[in-house]
Amino acid sequence: MADALATVPTMALPGLARALVAAGTLNQARAEDIYAKAQARKVSFIHEAVSSGAVSAHDLAHTISQAFGAPLIDLDSVDPLRLPKDLLDPRIGKQFKLVVLSKRGNKVTVATADPSDHLAAEKVKFATQANVDWVIAEVDKLTKLIDTLTASASEAIDHIVGADFEFDDGGIEMASAEPEDRASSEVEDAPIVKFLHKMLLDAYTMRASDLHFEPYEHTYRVRFRIDGELREIAAPPIAIKEKLASRIKVISKLDISERRVPQDGRMKLKVGPDKVIDFRVSTLPTLFGEKVVIRILDPSSAQMGIDALGYEPEEKDKLLEAIYRPYGMVLVTGPTGSGKTVSLYTCLNILNQPGVNISTAEDPSEINLPGVNQVNVNEKAGLTFAAALKSFLRQDPDIIMVGEIRDLETADIAIKAAQTGHLVLSTLHTNDAPTTLTRMLNMGIAPFNIASSVNLITAQRLARRLCKQCKEPINDLPDQVLLDAGFTPEDLDGRWKPYKPVGCNACNNGYKGRVGIYQVMPVTETMQQIILRGGSALEIAAQAKAEGVRSLRESGLRKVKLGVTSLEEVLGCTNA
């Protein structure tokens, strides 16, 4: 040890030590002693000088800045998220204690505590293909920033997932029966697999309908749609965005090399010995990477039964009468995410008997229903809704379900099928039941075809259901508020009170689950006459009201009266 600490000749000192001696910050003997100890301990001269207390990091940085004529920077004012990525290998930055701050043209600005390190300068110049401009930083702040930048994504993911989370990688399966090529998955991707599995399981457990993986310029977030409301669940490191998207695309049988166009796929998750959940995957190229949305397709949702959907008894009777007819068309309308598919599949489940031939065309099929012939529309291959419908009519069908009527050709074939002895179920995107008929007229369908084929139209919305454990009655709500919402003076008889959400451990901010709000409108002979003479949606709506058809708002207010949902929910999802 004595040999290691022997006095080092002056010329053997590094350039930085000589500069400190010349500036008077350290004397010659002290500099030589620090350098000898640094060599013995295999640390840098700067590290030994600061850790030994010979000079503070602040004073050292100021001295170096003056000695080398390089500007000084306070790294506390630097946002790590806004530093350039991929300009320099993190291992080089950690080895030489460097942080790249910016690059402009053929110059790169680099923060360092030791601008005399020529090897570091050469490494940076070669890696960035640019000339280096040094700025001086305090060594302790520089070390802290480097640790932040080089913190392992695996560590961050482990922190989110939890060290005690156990999973079976075989639980996630591809939609295809082909086995996954395990060799294509790198060892360092294991945390990504674990994170994805955790997110899928959490989404299922929390009764989410969708998962959103969203990359932004400096952040990455994961959100779940729970009871119709998006909630931020996790903020993993942005460094995982490409590997996570690739992992999802691999198990969804998508092209991992294609990041410029949207793609759609499917995958499965085993959540129990005999329970498998399907997921529909959609990727979208955004400004800062691919956004991935995964929809949970629980086959058991079609098995819930019509009573669980929230139909009132008279509405349920009207719907059942329409779907039990041997021919005609039943339309379900509403915006995306309003539960149209679940309603259609509930009807199909009722009709799915051994003696009935049912065929469906969807884009894509969301719920797997045994006994039903399901076809995925493929526009690129020429398998459109219209083409699928034409094929169905040659397959001896009894019941046909079309995922959505989007164009005149599809509508024309569907109507002809409904007129020639088939029951046709389909969806349209309209605000309510009366406007559906005028929408079909605007598509170019002849009035007599609409009048002779459409049996019933159901418009629907989904409202959040109040938690039974914590909901509370509102005692001080003015009657005028209820009247303005749509209640009649007769409704305000004092025998009921609206309820409000409170929030407890068993729910999400006072709500748990969702309930359907429906406008069920049979197309009667009087309505057919209005359609044939080219009547407006207002005329049809007035006739529907005269025949006792409740509007969406009236149907929602009925559920407020029953204490199923809150007034705010109904006002938010229905039109007056």
Side-chain angles (χ1 to χ4, degrees), residues 210-239:
D210 301 88
L211 299 84
H212 294 242
F213 298 89
E214 302 170 311
Y216 297 97
E217 185 175 9
H218 305 296
T219 58
Y220 192 78
R221 70 177 176 180
V222 181
R223 294 191 292 173
F224 293 173
R225 188 176 292 280
I226 302 172
D227 294 336
E229 199 171 53
L230 277 171
R231 292 174 54 192
E232 184 166 336
I233 300 298
I238 194 170

PDB file of all heavy atoms in Angstrom, residues 210-239:
ATOM      1  N   ASP A 210     -61.643  -1.587 -21.803  1.00  0.00           N
ATOM      2  CA  ASP A 210     -60.551  -1.312 -22.742  1.00  0.00           C
ATOM      3  C   ASP A 210     -59.290  -0.946 -21.976  1.00  0.00           C
ATOM      4  O   ASP A 210     -59.350  -0.390 -20.875  1.00  0.00           O
ATOM      5  CB  ASP A 210     -60.908  -0.144 -23.676  1.00  0.00           C
ATOM      6  CG  ASP A 210     -62.165  -0.395 -24.483  1.00  0.00           C
ATOM      7  OD1 ASP A 210     -63.267  -0.080 -23.981  1.00  0.00           O
ATOM      8  OD2 ASP A 210     -62.050  -0.913 -25.594  1.00  0.00           O
ATOM      9  N   LEU A 211     -58.137  -1.250 -22.594  1.00  0.00           N
ATOM     10  CA  LEU A 211     -56.839  -0.804 -22.086  1.00  0.00           C
ATOM     11  C   LEU A 211     -56.219   0.097 -23.144  1.00  0.00           C
ATOM     12  O   LEU A 211     -56.205  -0.244 -24.327  1.00  0.00           O
ATOM     13  CB  LEU A 211     -55.884  -1.972 -21.833  1.00  0.00           C
ATOM     14  CG  LEU A 211     -56.246  -3.052 -20.828  1.00  0.00           C
ATOM     15  CD1 LEU A 211     -57.147  -4.110 -21.466  1.00  0.00           C
ATOM     16  CD2 LEU A 211     -54.982  -3.743 -20.325  1.00  0.00           C
ATOM     17  N   HIS A 212     -55.675   1.228 -22.728  1.00  0.00           N
ATOM     18  CA  HIS A 212     -55.029   2.170 -23.642  1.00  0.00           C
ATOM     19  C   HIS A 212     -53.553   2.298 -23.262  1.00  0.00           C
ATOM     20  O   HIS A 212     -53.229   2.702 -22.143  1.00  0.00           O
ATOM     21  CB  HIS A 212     -55.691   3.548 -23.555  1.00  0.00           C
ATOM     22  CG  HIS A 212     -57.109   3.579 -24.047  1.00  0.00           C
ATOM     23  ND1 HIS A 212     -57.503   4.346 -25.119  1.00  0.00           N
ATOM     24  CD2 HIS A 212     -58.214   2.938 -23.626  1.00  0.00           C
ATOM     25  CE1 HIS A 212     -58.798   4.178 -25.331  1.00  0.00           C
ATOM     26  NE2 HIS A 212     -59.244   3.323 -24.421  1.00  0.00           N
ATOM     27  N   PHE A 213     -52.662   1.973 -24.205  1.00  0.00           N
ATOM     28  CA  PHE A 213     -51.216   2.158 -24.020  1.00  0.00           C
ATOM     29  C   PHE A 213     -50.807   3.335 -24.897  1.00  0.00           C
ATOM     30  O   PHE A 213     -50.798   3.227 -26.125  1.00  0.00           O
ATOM     31  CB  PHE A 213     -50.453   0.898 -24.419  1.00  0.00           C
ATOM     32  CG  PHE A 213     -50.795  -0.307 -23.581  1.00  0.00           C
ATOM     33  CD1 PHE A 213     -51.828  -1.145 -23.939  1.00  0.00           C
ATOM     34  CD2 PHE A 213     -50.078  -0.606 -22.434  1.00  0.00           C
ATOM     35  CE1 PHE A 213     -52.158  -2.256 -23.182  1.00  0.00           C
ATOM     36  CE2 PHE A 213     -50.387  -1.715 -21.667  1.00  0.00           C
ATOM     37  CZ  PHE A 213     -51.429  -2.543 -22.030  1.00  0.00           C
ATOM     38  N   GLU A 214     -50.459   4.467 -24.266  1.00  0.00           N
ATOM     39  CA  GLU A 214     -50.344   5.728 -24.999  1.00  0.00           C
ATOM     40  C   GLU A 214     -48.965   6.360 -24.846  1.00  0.00           C
ATOM     41  O   GLU A 214     -48.580   6.779 -23.747  1.00  0.00           O
ATOM     42  CB  GLU A 214     -51.408   6.711 -24.485  1.00  0.00           C
ATOM     43  CG  GLU A 214     -52.821   6.166 -24.622  1.00  0.00           C
ATOM     44  CD  GLU A 214     -53.847   7.019 -23.907  1.00  0.00           C
ATOM     45  OE1 GLU A 214     -53.629   7.366 -22.726  1.00  0.00           O
ATOM     46  OE2 GLU A 214     -54.875   7.347 -24.528  1.00  0.00           O
ATOM     47  N   PRO A 215     -48.200   6.464 -25.942  1.00  0.00           N
ATOM     48  CA  PRO A 215     -46.899   7.141 -25.894  1.00  0.00           C
ATOM     49  C   PRO A 215     -47.032   8.629 -26.227  1.00  0.00           C
ATOM     50  O   PRO A 215     -47.766   9.012 -27.143  1.00  0.00           O
ATOM     51  CB  PRO A 215     -46.097   6.418 -26.986  1.00  0.00           C
ATOM     52  CG  PRO A 215     -47.137   6.016 -28.000  1.00  0.00           C
ATOM     53  CD  PRO A 215     -48.434   5.804 -27.244  1.00  0.00           C
ATOM     54  N   TYR A 216     -46.318   9.449 -25.445  1.00  0.00           N
ATOM     55  CA  TYR A 216     -46.246  10.875 -25.729  1.00  0.00           C
ATOM     56  C   TYR A 216     -44.777  11.278 -25.861  1.00  0.00           C
ATOM     57  O   TYR A 216     -43.894  10.423 -25.802  1.00  0.00           O
ATOM     58  CB  TYR A 216     -46.952  11.671 -24.630  1.00  0.00           C
ATOM     59  CG  TYR A 216     -48.433  11.345 -24.562  1.00  0.00           C
ATOM     60  CD1 TYR A 216     -48.923  10.422 -23.637  1.00  0.00           C
ATOM     61  CD2 TYR A 216     -49.331  11.931 -25.443  1.00  0.00           C
ATOM     62  CE1 TYR A 216     -50.268  10.091 -23.588  1.00  0.00           C
ATOM     63  CE2 TYR A 216     -50.685  11.614 -25.407  1.00  0.00           C
ATOM     64  CZ  TYR A 216     -51.144  10.691 -24.481  1.00  0.00           C
ATOM     65  OH  TYR A 216     -52.471  10.364 -24.452  1.00  0.00           O
ATOM     66  N   GLU A 217     -44.512  12.562 -26.014  1.00  0.00           N
ATOM     67  CA  GLU A 217     -43.145  12.993 -26.305  1.00  0.00           C
ATOM     68  C   GLU A 217     -42.182  12.618 -25.174  1.00  0.00           C
ATOM     69  O   GLU A 217     -41.086  12.125 -25.427  1.00  0.00           O
ATOM     70  CB  GLU A 217     -43.103  14.500 -26.556  1.00  0.00           C
ATOM     71  CG  GLU A 217     -41.720  14.986 -26.976  1.00  0.00           C
ATOM     72  CD  GLU A 217     -41.709  16.450 -27.345  1.00  0.00           C
ATOM     73  OE1 GLU A 217     -42.739  17.137 -27.117  1.00  0.00           O
ATOM     74  OE2 GLU A 217     -40.682  16.925 -27.847  1.00  0.00           O
ATOM     75  N   HIS A 218     -42.601  12.845 -23.938  1.00  0.00           N
ATOM     76  CA  HIS A 218     -41.708  12.601 -22.803  1.00  0.00           C
ATOM     77  C   HIS A 218     -42.286  11.625 -21.788  1.00  0.00           C
ATOM     78  O   HIS A 218     -41.633  11.328 -20.800  1.00  0.00           O
ATOM     79  CB  HIS A 218     -41.373  13.924 -22.097  1.00  0.00           C
ATOM     80  CG  HIS A 218     -40.795  14.963 -23.003  1.00  0.00           C
ATOM     81  ND1 HIS A 218     -39.577  14.787 -23.636  1.00  0.00           N
ATOM     82  CD2 HIS A 218     -41.267  16.160 -23.408  1.00  0.00           C
ATOM     83  CE1 HIS A 218     -39.326  15.856 -24.383  1.00  0.00           C
ATOM     84  NE2 HIS A 218     -40.328  16.695 -24.262  1.00  0.00           N
ATOM     85  N   THR A 219     -43.493  11.173 -22.002  1.00  0.00           N
ATOM     86  CA  THR A 219     -44.129  10.279 -21.025  1.00  0.00           C
ATOM     87  C   THR A 219     -44.848   9.134 -21.729  1.00  0.00           C
ATOM     88  O   THR A 219     -45.053   9.162 -22.941  1.00  0.00           O
ATOM     89  CB  THR A 219     -45.152  11.045 -20.167  1.00  0.00           C
ATOM     90  OG1 THR A 219     -46.134  11.644 -21.045  1.00  0.00           O
ATOM     91  CG2 THR A 219     -44.483  12.120 -19.339  1.00  0.00           C
ATOM     92  N   TYR A 220     -45.199   8.154 -20.927  1.00  0.00           N
ATOM     93  CA  TYR A 220     -45.949   7.000 -21.423  1.00  0.00           C
ATOM     94  C   TYR A 220     -46.979   6.660 -20.349  1.00  0.00           C
ATOM     95  O   TYR A 220     -46.643   6.679 -19.148  1.00  0.00           O
ATOM     96  CB  TYR A 220     -45.001   5.813 -21.640  1.00  0.00           C
ATOM     97  CG  TYR A 220     -45.592   4.658 -22.412  1.00  0.00           C
ATOM     98  CD1 TYR A 220     -45.719   4.719 -23.790  1.00  0.00           C
ATOM     99  CD2 TYR A 220     -46.015   3.496 -21.760  1.00  0.00           C
ATOM    100  CE1 TYR A 220     -46.241   3.663 -24.513  1.00  0.00           C
ATOM    101  CE2 TYR A 220     -46.539   2.432 -22.483  1.00  0.00           C
ATOM    102  CZ  TYR A 220     -46.641   2.523 -23.849  1.00  0.00           C
ATOM    103  OH  TYR A 220     -47.179   1.478 -24.570  1.00  0.00           O
ATOM    104  N   ARG A 221     -48.192   6.397 -20.734  1.00  0.00           N
ATOM    105  CA  ARG A 221     -49.195   6.084 -19.718  1.00  0.00           C
ATOM    106  C   ARG A 221     -50.091   4.934 -20.159  1.00  0.00           C
ATOM    107  O   ARG A 221     -50.266   4.680 -21.358  1.00  0.00           O
ATOM    108  CB  ARG A 221     -50.049   7.299 -19.381  1.00  0.00           C
ATOM    109  CG  ARG A 221     -51.009   7.743 -20.484  1.00  0.00           C
ATOM    110  CD  ARG A 221     -51.868   8.909 -20.028  1.00  0.00           C
ATOM    111  NE  ARG A 221     -52.716   9.391 -21.115  1.00  0.00           N
ATOM    112  CZ  ARG A 221     -53.573  10.405 -21.003  1.00  0.00           C
ATOM    113  NH1 ARG A 221     -53.666  11.059 -19.856  1.00  0.00           N
ATOM    114  NH2 ARG A 221     -54.305  10.778 -22.027  1.00  0.00           N
ATOM    115  N   VAL A 222     -50.659   4.264 -19.165  1.00  0.00           N
ATOM    116  CA  VAL A 222     -51.612   3.182 -19.393  1.00  0.00           C
ATOM    117  C   VAL A 222     -52.913   3.577 -18.714  1.00  0.00           C
ATOM    118  O   VAL A 222     -52.926   3.929 -17.526  1.00  0.00           O
ATOM    119  CB  VAL A 222     -51.106   1.848 -18.808  1.00  0.00           C
ATOM    120  CG1 VAL A 222     -52.109   0.748 -19.082  1.00  0.00           C
ATOM    121  CG2 VAL A 222     -49.743   1.485 -19.392  1.00  0.00           C
ATOM    122  N   ARG A 223     -53.998   3.548 -19.477  1.00  0.00           N
ATOM    123  CA  ARG A 223     -55.309   3.873 -18.915  1.00  0.00           C
ATOM    124  C   ARG A 223     -56.286   2.729 -19.151  1.00  0.00           C
ATOM    125  O   ARG A 223     -56.227   2.046 -20.171  1.00  0.00           O
ATOM    126  CB  ARG A 223     -55.866   5.163 -19.533  1.00  0.00           C
ATOM    127  CG  ARG A 223     -55.067   6.401 -19.190  1.00  0.00           C
ATOM    128  CD  ARG A 223     -55.805   7.680 -19.587  1.00  0.00           C
ATOM    129  NE  ARG A 223     -55.913   7.833 -21.035  1.00  0.00           N
ATOM    130  CZ  ARG A 223     -56.621   8.797 -21.630  1.00  0.00           C
ATOM    131  NH1 ARG A 223     -57.290   9.671 -20.905  1.00  0.00           N
ATOM    132  NH2 ARG A 223     -56.652   8.884 -22.940  1.00  0.00           N
ATOM    133  N   PHE A 224     -57.200   2.530 -18.205  1.00  0.00           N
ATOM    134  CA  PHE A 224     -58.276   1.555 -18.333  1.00  0.00           C
ATOM    135  C   PHE A 224     -59.592   2.323 -18.436  1.00  0.00           C
ATOM    136  O   PHE A 224     -59.779   3.337 -17.757  1.00  0.00           O
ATOM    137  CB  PHE A 224     -58.372   0.643 -17.103  1.00  0.00           C
ATOM    138  CG  PHE A 224     -57.201  -0.286 -16.893  1.00  0.00           C
ATOM    139  CD1 PHE A 224     -57.112  -1.049 -15.741  1.00  0.00           C
ATOM    140  CD2 PHE A 224     -56.194  -0.412 -17.855  1.00  0.00           C
ATOM    141  CE1 PHE A 224     -56.048  -1.910 -15.531  1.00  0.00           C
ATOM    142  CE2 PHE A 224     -55.125  -1.267 -17.655  1.00  0.00           C
ATOM    143  CZ  PHE A 224     -55.051  -2.015 -16.482  1.00  0.00           C
ATOM    144  N   ARG A 225     -60.496   1.815 -19.279  1.00  0.00           N
ATOM    145  CA  ARG A 225     -61.857   2.354 -19.284  1.00  0.00           C
ATOM    146  C   ARG A 225     -62.704   1.483 -18.365  1.00  0.00           C
ATOM    147  O   ARG A 225     -62.993   0.324 -18.682  1.00  0.00           O
ATOM    148  CB  ARG A 225     -62.447   2.389 -20.690  1.00  0.00           C
ATOM    149  CG  ARG A 225     -63.804   3.128 -20.738  1.00  0.00           C
ATOM    150  CD  ARG A 225     -64.335   3.255 -22.159  1.00  0.00           C
ATOM    151  NE  ARG A 225     -63.545   4.126 -22.992  1.00  0.00           N
ATOM    152  CZ  ARG A 225     -63.620   5.455 -22.990  1.00  0.00           C
ATOM    153  NH1 ARG A 225     -64.448   6.063 -22.154  1.00  0.00           N
ATOM    154  NH2 ARG A 225     -62.865   6.167 -23.793  1.00  0.00           N
ATOM    155  N   ILE A 226     -63.076   2.034 -17.225  1.00  0.00           N
ATOM    156  CA  ILE A 226     -63.845   1.308 -16.225  1.00  0.00           C
ATOM    157  C   ILE A 226     -65.202   1.981 -16.072  1.00  0.00           C
ATOM    158  O   ILE A 226     -65.279   3.177 -15.774  1.00  0.00           O
ATOM    159  CB  ILE A 226     -63.106   1.274 -14.871  1.00  0.00           C
ATOM    160  CG1 ILE A 226     -61.720   0.629 -15.045  1.00  0.00           C
ATOM    161  CG2 ILE A 226     -63.916   0.519 -13.826  1.00  0.00           C
ATOM    162  CD1 ILE A 226     -60.842   0.729 -13.824  1.00  0.00           C
ATOM    163  N   ASP A 227     -66.265   1.215 -16.306  1.00  0.00           N
ATOM    164  CA  ASP A 227     -67.625   1.753 -16.244  1.00  0.00           C
ATOM    165  C   ASP A 227     -67.769   2.984 -17.130  1.00  0.00           C
ATOM    166  O   ASP A 227     -68.401   3.982 -16.751  1.00  0.00           O
ATOM    167  CB  ASP A 227     -68.017   2.095 -14.801  1.00  0.00           C
ATOM    168  CG  ASP A 227     -68.108   0.864 -13.914  1.00  0.00           C
ATOM    169  OD1 ASP A 227     -68.315  -0.237 -14.463  1.00  0.00           O
ATOM    170  OD2 ASP A 227     -67.963   0.993 -12.687  1.00  0.00           O
ATOM    171  N   GLY A 228     -67.135   2.925 -18.302  1.00  0.00           N
ATOM    172  CA  GLY A 228     -67.272   3.999 -19.275  1.00  0.00           C
ATOM    173  C   GLY A 228     -66.357   5.183 -19.064  1.00  0.00           C
ATOM    174  O   GLY A 228     -66.370   6.129 -19.860  1.00  0.00           O
ATOM    175  N   GLU A 229     -65.533   5.170 -18.010  1.00  0.00           N
ATOM    176  CA  GLU A 229     -64.671   6.310 -17.699  1.00  0.00           C
ATOM    177  C   GLU A 229     -63.212   5.885 -17.753  1.00  0.00           C
ATOM    178  O   GLU A 229     -62.835   4.862 -17.173  1.00  0.00           O
ATOM    179  CB  GLU A 229     -65.021   6.824 -16.300  1.00  0.00           C
ATOM    180  CG  GLU A 229     -64.555   8.229 -16.013  1.00  0.00           C
ATOM    181  CD  GLU A 229     -65.118   8.733 -14.697  1.00  0.00           C
ATOM    182  OE1 GLU A 229     -64.964   8.041 -13.662  1.00  0.00           O
ATOM    183  OE2 GLU A 229     -65.723   9.819 -14.689  1.00  0.00           O
ATOM    184  N   LEU A 230     -62.373   6.683 -18.429  1.00  0.00           N
ATOM    185  CA  LEU A 230     -60.951   6.373 -18.522  1.00  0.00           C
ATOM    186  C   LEU A 230     -60.236   6.782 -17.241  1.00  0.00           C
ATOM    187  O   LEU A 230     -60.408   7.906 -16.752  1.00  0.00           O
ATOM    188  CB  LEU A 230     -60.320   7.092 -19.717  1.00  0.00           C
ATOM    189  CG  LEU A 230     -60.481   6.410 -21.081  1.00  0.00           C
ATOM    190  CD1 LEU A 230     -59.998   7.337 -22.185  1.00  0.00           C
ATOM    191  CD2 LEU A 230     -59.740   5.092 -21.135  1.00  0.00           C
ATOM    192  N   ARG A 231     -59.404   5.858 -16.717  1.00  0.00           N
ATOM    193  CA  ARG A 231     -58.633   6.132 -15.497  1.00  0.00           C
ATOM    194  C   ARG A 231     -57.184   5.767 -15.746  1.00  0.00           C
ATOM    195  O   ARG A 231     -56.891   4.695 -16.290  1.00  0.00           O
ATOM    196  CB  ARG A 231     -59.169   5.306 -14.327  1.00  0.00           C
ATOM    197  CG  ARG A 231     -60.544   5.704 -13.860  1.00  0.00           C
ATOM    198  CD  ARG A 231     -61.049   4.744 -12.797  1.00  0.00           C
ATOM    199  NE  ARG A 231     -60.107   4.615 -11.704  1.00  0.00           N
ATOM    200  CZ  ARG A 231     -60.188   3.677 -10.768  1.00  0.00           C
ATOM    201  NH1 ARG A 231     -61.159   2.782 -10.807  1.00  0.00           N
ATOM    202  NH2 ARG A 231     -59.299   3.614  -9.794  1.00  0.00           N
ATOM    203  N   GLU A 232     -56.263   6.667 -15.359  1.00  0.00           N
ATOM    204  CA  GLU A 232     -54.835   6.368 -15.510  1.00  0.00           C
ATOM    205  C   GLU A 232     -54.418   5.350 -14.455  1.00  0.00           C
ATOM    206  O   GLU A 232     -54.660   5.534 -13.261  1.00  0.00           O
ATOM    207  CB  GLU A 232     -53.995   7.637 -15.383  1.00  0.00           C
ATOM    208  CG  GLU A 232     -52.521   7.390 -15.639  1.00  0.00           C
ATOM    209  CD  GLU A 232     -51.710   8.657 -15.843  1.00  0.00           C
ATOM    210  OE1 GLU A 232     -52.309   9.684 -16.236  1.00  0.00           O
ATOM    211  OE2 GLU A 232     -50.496   8.613 -15.612  1.00  0.00           O
ATOM    212  N   ILE A 233     -53.783   4.267 -14.904  1.00  0.00           N
ATOM    213  CA  ILE A 233     -53.422   3.159 -14.024  1.00  0.00           C
ATOM    214  C   ILE A 233     -51.922   3.121 -13.762  1.00  0.00           C
ATOM    215  O   ILE A 233     -51.483   2.849 -12.652  1.00  0.00           O
ATOM    216  CB  ILE A 233     -53.882   1.817 -14.634  1.00  0.00           C
ATOM    217  CG1 ILE A 233     -55.396   1.816 -14.837  1.00  0.00           C
ATOM    218  CG2 ILE A 233     -53.457   0.651 -13.761  1.00  0.00           C
ATOM    219  CD1 ILE A 233     -56.212   1.969 -13.564  1.00  0.00           C
ATOM    220  N   ALA A 234     -51.111   3.376 -14.774  1.00  0.00           N
ATOM    221  CA  ALA A 234     -49.665   3.274 -14.613  1.00  0.00           C
ATOM    222  C   ALA A 234     -48.968   4.244 -15.554  1.00  0.00           C
ATOM    223  O   ALA A 234     -49.523   4.637 -16.582  1.00  0.00           O
ATOM    224  CB  ALA A 234     -49.196   1.845 -14.882  1.00  0.00           C
ATOM    225  N   ALA A 235     -47.747   4.623 -15.181  1.00  0.00           N
ATOM    226  CA  ALA A 235     -46.908   5.488 -16.016  1.00  0.00           C
ATOM    227  C   ALA A 235     -45.533   4.833 -16.139  1.00  0.00           C
ATOM    228  O   ALA A 235     -44.570   5.252 -15.490  1.00  0.00           O
ATOM    229  CB  ALA A 235     -46.803   6.882 -15.423  1.00  0.00           C
ATOM    230  N   PRO A 236     -45.406   3.789 -16.963  1.00  0.00           N
ATOM    231  CA  PRO A 236     -44.127   3.098 -17.116  1.00  0.00           C
ATOM    232  C   PRO A 236     -43.122   3.977 -17.842  1.00  0.00           C
ATOM    233  O   PRO A 236     -43.497   4.998 -18.449  1.00  0.00           O
ATOM    234  CB  PRO A 236     -44.488   1.870 -17.957  1.00  0.00           C
ATOM    235  CG  PRO A 236     -45.702   2.274 -18.714  1.00  0.00           C
ATOM    236  CD  PRO A 236     -46.454   3.209 -17.814  1.00  0.00           C
ATOM    237  N   PRO A 237     -41.833   3.618 -17.805  1.00  0.00           N
ATOM    238  CA  PRO A 237     -40.821   4.419 -18.508  1.00  0.00           C
ATOM    239  C   PRO A 237     -41.069   4.427 -20.008  1.00  0.00           C
ATOM    240  O   PRO A 237     -41.465   3.405 -20.586  1.00  0.00           O
ATOM    241  CB  PRO A 237     -39.505   3.716 -18.156  1.00  0.00           C
ATOM    242  CG  PRO A 237     -39.891   2.355 -17.693  1.00  0.00           C
ATOM    243  CD  PRO A 237     -41.236   2.487 -17.074  1.00  0.00           C
ATOM    244  N   ILE A 238     -40.839   5.571 -20.616  1.00  0.00           N
ATOM    245  CA  ILE A 238     -41.117   5.711 -22.048  1.00  0.00           C
ATOM    246  C   ILE A 238     -40.210   4.807 -22.884  1.00  0.00           C
ATOM    247  O   ILE A 238     -40.533   4.468 -24.024  1.00  0.00           O
ATOM    248  CB  ILE A 238     -40.964   7.186 -22.478  1.00  0.00           C
ATOM    249  CG1 ILE A 238     -41.580   7.404 -23.865  1.00  0.00           C
ATOM    250  CG2 ILE A 238     -39.505   7.609 -22.430  1.00  0.00           C
ATOM    251  CD1 ILE A 238     -41.685   8.856 -24.256  1.00  0.00           C
ATOM    252  N   ALA A 239     -39.105   4.345 -22.295  1.00  0.00           N
ATOM    253  CA  ALA A 239     -38.169   3.498 -23.034  1.00  0.00           C
ATOM    254  C   ALA A 239     -38.787   2.160 -23.441  1.00  0.00           C
ATOM    255  O   ALA A 239     -38.291   1.510 -24.354  1.00  0.00           O
ATOM    256  CB  ALA A 239     -36.915   3.247 -22.188  1.00  0.00           C
TER     257      ALA A 239
END
